[in-house]
Amino acid sequence: STRKESSAASDVYKRQVKMNDDPVGPYKQRKCKFNSPFRHFLGDGLNPEQAEALEAFKNHSVTLVQGPPGTGKSQLVKEIMRGLLSHGNLNVMVAAPTNSTANELAKHGRQFVMDSEFVRLGGSENGKIDESLRDRMFAKVAPSARSKKRRTWAEDNFRYMKLVAGTFVVFGNESFSNVEPCMDVYIVDEAAQGFEVETMIVLNWLKRGGRVLFVGDFAQLPPTSDSHYVQFSQIGVSLMERLSYRPGFLLSLIHISEPTRPLYISYAVF
């Protein structure tokens, strides 16, 4: 019995070593079969390295893009949003840990959709939502201040929104508790600054077979909290960082401008 247990443990160890040697592991044969404009839009204005990141996003369910400032991450996100919103009938949600980043994403994406197809989640944050977006705040678009009617409106109308933008926290508002998965793409900017739990809230809106793009930099500001427990526990980490260490993600290193400023791309299909 002891020998059998030892042999079984040895087999598990060998499988783990094999997965670490081959980061794609058992996922390398599971190419995404999602037929959509993901495969058709071109990355206008992208350099070859950014184009490689775009190809990773177009062909895989989950893509992580990590790099320091100046490596072209923001330009990549904006080009992907332009391509998604300008081609085909896709529903895209963009989220960020801060209102300032969510505002920038929303302002960029809004120019590619009709006003009736866009909503900026939030409304109670005084002065935190950009003035140019306040006409499409959920608090103004929804017909009533009563929570029950707002839940009904969200359930009936969010499936027709081509662009939904907000911070992680507002996606978890009780008004959206009955919203069915209706989004094709989930884009997270500054993903390394968001806690794992709050980033996962938004995943409830994602359709089966949709795309996820995490963009950020672990070396910059990590998730922050006033809680001493959170700071020194395993929950004080971003979902992007946790996924980056997961066997099953193929990691490739490409250089933008100079070798000292690398842009990392990893991707996998679940």
Side-chain angles (χ1 to χ4, degrees):
S1 175
T2 304
R3 288 184 178 180
K4 288 182 179 179
E5 291 176 358
S6 176
S7 176
S10 177
D11 290 341
V12 171
Y13 174 75
K14 289 177 181 178
R15 286 198 298 271
Q16 290 175 338
V17 170
K18 184 178 180 181
M19 290 182 70
N20 288 332
D21 290 341
D22 178 11
V24 181
Y27 302 95
K28 61 183 176 183
Q29 300 299 329
R30 298 178 59 187
K31 276 280 188 178
C32 189
K33 303 297 184 182
F34 199 96
N35 294 320
S36 72
F38 290 133
R39 299 185 181 276
H40 302 308
F41 70 83
L42 301 176
D44 297 335
L46 298 183
N47 59 34
E49 293 82 3
Q50 291 168 318
E52 183 178 339
L54 175 60
E55 286 302 310
F57 169 76
K58 288 162 65 176
N59 292 288
H60 298 85
S61 294
V62 182
T63 304
L64 314 180
V65 178
Q66 186 235 338
T71 50
K73 300 189 302 296
S74 297
Q75 183 186 3
L76 174 65
V77 170
K78 289 182 177 181
E79 175 56 26
I80 287 176
M81 288 181 63
R82 184 199 66 79
L84 293 172
L85 297 171
S86 300
H87 297 76
N89 187 25
L90 292 172
N91 297 5
V92 179
M93 53 184 175
V94 293
T98 65
N99 275 291
S100 58
T101 302
N103 285 336
E104 288 303 312
L105 295 173
K107 286 191 292 184
H108 175 73
R110 184 177 184 177
Q111 61 186 309
F112 305 113
V113 299
M114 298 175 61
D115 283 348
S116 60
E117 299 172 325
F118 161 68
V119 62
R120 171 64 162 93
L121 302 186
S124 60
E125 307 93 339
N126 183 24
K128 294 184 178 181
I129 295 182
D130 191 272
E131 185 69 34
S132 63
L133 303 172
R134 292 184 183 179
D135 62 312
R136 293 300 299 173
M137 289 190 305
F138 176 74
K140 289 189 175 181
V141 173
S144 172
R146 294 182 180 180
S147 59
K148 184 176 181 179
K149 288 189 175 182
R150 286 193 169 181
R151 281 198 299 269
T152 301
W153 186 93
E155 185 178 3
D156 293 340
N157 290 276
F158 272 26
R159 70 189 69 180
Y160 304 111
M161 297 294 164
K162 292 186 67 176
L163 177 63
V164 178
T167 59
F168 301 132
V169 175
V170 294
F171 275 92
N173 188 284
E174 64 174 358
S175 298
F176 314 135
S177 58
N178 295 330
V179 174
E180 296 291 330
C182 57
M183 294 287 143
D184 299 294
V185 183
Y186 175 28
I187 297 176
V188 187
D189 200 4
E190 304 294 352
Q193 297 182 24
F195 285 105
E196 181 178 17
V197 174
E198 61 183 1
T199 308
M200 292 176 67
I201 292 173
V202 194
L203 288 172
N204 290 324
W205 294 39
L206 191 67
K207 291 179 183 176
R208 183 183 179 92
R211 293 284 197 279
V212 181
L213 174 66
F214 292 109
V215 179
D217 181 16
F218 309 147
Q220 295 188 60
L221 186 66
T224 57
S225 172
D226 293 333
S227 170
H228 180 80
Y229 173 76
V230 170
Q231 290 178 358
F232 295 95
S233 68
Q234 292 188 354
I235 65 174
V237 65
S238 69
L239 178 59
M240 179 183 179
E241 184 172 5
R242 193 179 297 279
L243 288 175
S244 70
Y245 299 127
R246 182 186 187 277
F249 273 89
L250 175 63
L251 176 65
S252 63
L253 169 62
I254 60 178
H255 299 297
I256 300 272
S257 302
E258 53 181 310
T260 57
R261 302 177 69 81
L263 182 69
Y264 296 88
I265 302 171
S266 52
Y267 47 84
V269 178
F270 292 124

